[in-house]
Amino acid sequence: MKKWIVSMAAVGLIFALSACGAKEAPKASEPAAGGAANGNAAAQQVKLVATNFEFDQKEYTVKKGEDVTFSLENKQGMHAVQISGANVSLDNNNKTKTVKIDKAGTYDIICSLPCGQGHATMKSKLIVE
Ligand SMILES: [Cu+2]
């Protein structure tokens, strides 16, 4: 009877140790995976959701000198995007673009497709810092 308790305790101990080990494994691999992702997949994402007649945010902020992937989603109406000075122009056939902006500052995001009565004021800002 005593032997049985000892072996149960041993099994419990092994289980506890292996559970502990399993818990630590993903944690240890996390920084490595994150480091690898920094090269490319971790590009900043800026999603511009366009409706009549505005983008979903008045300002979008990104970091200079790092890849930024811009994407356009036409949720309502048909719009296109141009960010002057940042070499970005998006439309329905060309919905994403990744660029690196080296100069901090404020850039104008405009709709570059005549889309209706609110077209002229369909503007947002890109802040690069
Ligand atoms: Cu427009």
Side-chain angles (χ1 to χ4, degrees):
M1 191 61 183
K2 208 174 181 186
K3 214 174 180 181
W4 182 80
I5 287 167
V6 169
S7 67
M8 279 305 282
V11 166
L13 186 65
I14 288 163
F15 184 77
L17 283 173
S18 64
C20 194
K23 224 180 207 175
E24 263 169 35
K27 237 182 213 171
S29 68
E30 241 171 58
N38 277 342
N40 191 6
Q44 304 167 85
Q45 304 289 326
V46 174
K47 191 175 184 186
L48 300 141
V49 181
T51 53
N52 293 336
F53 296 91
E54 60 182 6
F55 297 107
D56 64 323
Q57 290 183 50
K58 279 280 145 208
E59 294 177 354
Y60 302 84
T61 304
V62 299
K63 290 196 184 101
K64 67 169 181 175
E66 291 181 19
D67 282 344
V68 189
T69 300
F70 292 93
S71 58
L72 168 66
E73 184 188 329
N74 276 320
K75 200 172 178 184
Q76 180 192 44
M78 184 70 86
H79 310 277
V81 167
Q82 194 152 359
I83 307 176
S84 31
N87 192 29
V88 174
S89 52
L90 306 171
D91 58 38
N92 247 9
N93 297 317
N94 205 346
K95 285 183 173 175
T96 66
K97 169 123 198 210
T98 301
V99 293
K100 200 181 279 184
I101 304 167
D102 290 321
K103 220 174 125 196
T106 302
Y107 298 75
D108 289 324
I109 301 174
I110 59 162
C111 175
S112 57
L113 189 74
C115 55
Q117 58 177 7
H119 174 67
T121 54
M122 189 166 168
K123 290 173 184 170
S124 286
K125 298 272 182 203
L126 175 70
I127 297 163
V128 180
E129 55 185 22

